[in-house]
Amino acid sequence: MPQTLEADILTLTSLGGDAVRERHDEFASCLVRILSVDPASVEDIDSYKAAIHHGFSYYYWKWDPRAADLYEVTTVAITRWDADVDQCINVMCELVDFVFFLVWFSEESNIRQSERLIQPLRVASAKFAKSAPRRSLPRPARKGPYRVAWLGMFVQSDNPMSTALYQIAPALLASDHQLDVYAWRFCDDAFRSYLEAKGARVHELAHATPLETILAIEARSRQDHPDIAISDMNNGIPTALFSRRLAPVQIFLQAGMPAWPVQHLDGVFNSFGFDPQKAGWGDAQMLRTNAPWDGAALDPAVAETEIAAERALLPKGIRLIGSYGRFSKITLPYLEAVEKILLRCPDVGFALGGTGDAAHIRTFIANSAAGSRITVEERYVSGHVWGHILELMLDTWPVTGGIAAREMLAKSKPVVTLHSEEMPAMDLQRDPALVARSWEGFVDMAVHLLQNKDAYGEASARAGALVRRLSEIRTFEQELDVDIERTVQRVRSKRSFIGRLNSMVGRVASHKRK
């Protein structure tokens, strides 16, 4: 006889940590049955939400690759649940966050990530949009400066996802825009102090449940009356807020997974140069992201003892090249290129550090002719330490490095990159002489640097010069103002009578073509 929902919840919530690994089949079966129930049959939504949160949390913390098996049942659950009851919003946010995580930690391509996220996020956005009365927001101001609300999940001084806010906040404030930062998940005192010293106002709005956080942010926005809302994340809470329309103009700062087919999206800071249609951005205005780097922050002082301690954990008596980050970014063509480099450079080893499932990497190592010189460190590693250990970085592909590559370049370490059609804008953050157009060219570039001291020295000098040049950009404030103004005026035009009429005619014409 099948277990009741209550029995499944009891079993699921009784297991955690290592106990789940030992009884994973039972744990996962309970979670699948819970996710598969008819929402109408759930009498205690709070208990249901707590149960799926418990189930999802195991995968968030353990990065168990078997989580990928839950993708289909989670996306189906998104179609089943509505967000018309307050507690259901909590469930929907949990489901959206989990499918977001599943795709982020398991897919090796931005295109593939988008293909798997577009439909569930579009369905969720439509349901979130119906979860609150339509807000009658005024047309944005005719001309700036504007009141800007920044939705920040990571308002933290040591988090790479805070880089965009760190770079863009001073530019906004220098142009006399008002900046209110809505820290809706994480916030530390150091970053808060930095923002406030620049002139921003920081509001810590994290609450126990997604719904409470959403309502707190919306209440704050009714006091601040932002003209523009910017979100640097595209998971559950920002999807709900944008779908319910937080501000007259809404902009996505894309710094991670591009996919976001959210309703009421007016603009995108397209940091990867990703295809807007593949990301589900519709007709949103594209904004430039040429913010200056902070060379000092990318290359802080590190104690020699710390470097020595980390080097002692890695293979001795051999030169090291490598990379660090999510293991899902390590693809088979990339590993094959690493192998070719090592076979041509017998005094070199490859070290890879990071998080996620490394099973495919270990399988490759076991069958590689150069496997004895490939090391995998399945743990978080400090780029500021590894940057002093590795002679050069082999950039990942097709999802290339972000902060990791910047950290290496800031230490005057060459970064060899293969051009990615998914992320063409990243080529502008690389030494053009080390951007290959084929795997053969990628291998040849790396080998040349490893076997020619003069070439390596020149590449190191170019790396340092590149960081200095990108840290001295003086055009960003003006570009930002122009792009924001253009986006605002586009929204004003669309919301005018003529603009609404043209939009309606366009929708009718599109329907007839179908």
Side-chain angles (χ1 to χ4, degrees), residues 81 129 140-141 156 162 177 182 189 224 243 253 310 315 363 371 401 436 480:
W81 281 87
Q156 296 173 295
S162 296
H177 300 294
Y182 297 168
D189 291 340
D224 298 332
S243 300
L253 190 292
E310 183 69 25
T363 297
L480 182 64

Side-chain angles (χ1 to χ4, degrees), residues 164-340:
L165 177 55
Y166 181 88
Q167 294 175 329
I168 294 177
L172 288 170
L173 293 162
S175 297
D176 294 326
H177 300 294
Q178 175 182 304
L179 178 60
D180 286 277
V181 177
Y182 297 168
W184 61 267
R185 181 68 63 82
F186 304 108
C187 183
D188 66 32
D189 291 340
F191 200 44
R192 179 181 184 128
S193 296
Y194 165 79
L195 291 169
E196 290 177 340
K198 294 291 183 181
R201 300 188 302 185
V202 180
H203 311 277
E204 296 189 43
L205 300 172
H207 284 71
T209 69
L211 176 61
E212 290 173 326
T213 301
I214 290 165
L215 294 177
I217 291 171
E218 290 178 339
R220 183 72 243 177
S221 74
R222 285 192 289 272
Q223 296 179 51
D224 298 332
H225 302 291
D227 301 299
I228 300 168
I230 299 174
S231 177
D232 55 22
M233 283 294 290
N234 46 334
N235 50 357
I237 286 176
T239 299
L241 288 164
F242 269 37
S243 300
R244 291 155 64 111
R245 179 63 91 171
L246 186 66
V249 178
Q250 300 189 143
I251 298 172
F252 175 35
L253 190 292
Q254 178 272 314
M257 283 199 300
W260 208 21
V262 68
Q263 295 193 16
H264 313 309
L265 183 63
D266 302 306
V268 178
F269 287 99
N270 187 359
S271 65
F272 291 175
F274 194 71
D275 184 334
Q277 295 308 307
K278 286 185 172 66
W281 296 335
D283 66 348
Q285 181 80 41
M286 295 298 105
L287 290 80
R288 290 166 287 185
T289 57
N290 302 318
W293 290 10
D294 185 337
L298 292 169
D299 186 25
V302 179
E304 290 295 333
T305 53
E306 190 175 353
I307 298 170
E310 183 69 25
R311 184 64 181 88
L313 300 175
L314 301 172
K316 300 174 180 59
I318 197 169
R319 301 161 63 196
L320 288 178
I321 61 175
S323 188
Y324 54 93
R326 293 196 322 275
F327 291 143
S328 60
K329 295 166 67 174
I330 306 302
T331 59
L332 180 59
Y334 176 83
L335 289 170
E336 290 173 340
V338 169
E339 179 183 58
K340 290 175 182 177

Side-chain angles (χ1 to χ4, degrees), residues 66-85:
R66 291 171 290 189
D69 297 336
L70 298 170
Y71 168 82
E72 184 172 349
V73 71
T74 306
T75 57
V76 171
I78 289 173
T79 67
R80 285 202 183 106
W81 281 87
D82 285 320
D84 53 351
V85 177

Side-chain angles (χ1 to χ4, degrees), residues 36 45 50 74 79 97 101 108 125 130 198 209 299 310 334 408 435 450 497 501:
S36 301
I45 294 178
T74 306
T79 67
D97 284 352
F101 168 78
E108 61 188 28
S125 180
K130 297 176 182 178
K198 294 291 183 181
T209 69
D299 186 25
E310 183 69 25
Y334 176 83
M408 291 293 293
V435 177
L450 291 168
F497 173 77
L501 184 63

Side-chain angles (χ1 to χ4, degrees), residues 110 162 312 358 385 410 428 496 502:
N110 286 308
S162 296
V385 176
L428 300 176
S496 69
N502 288 338

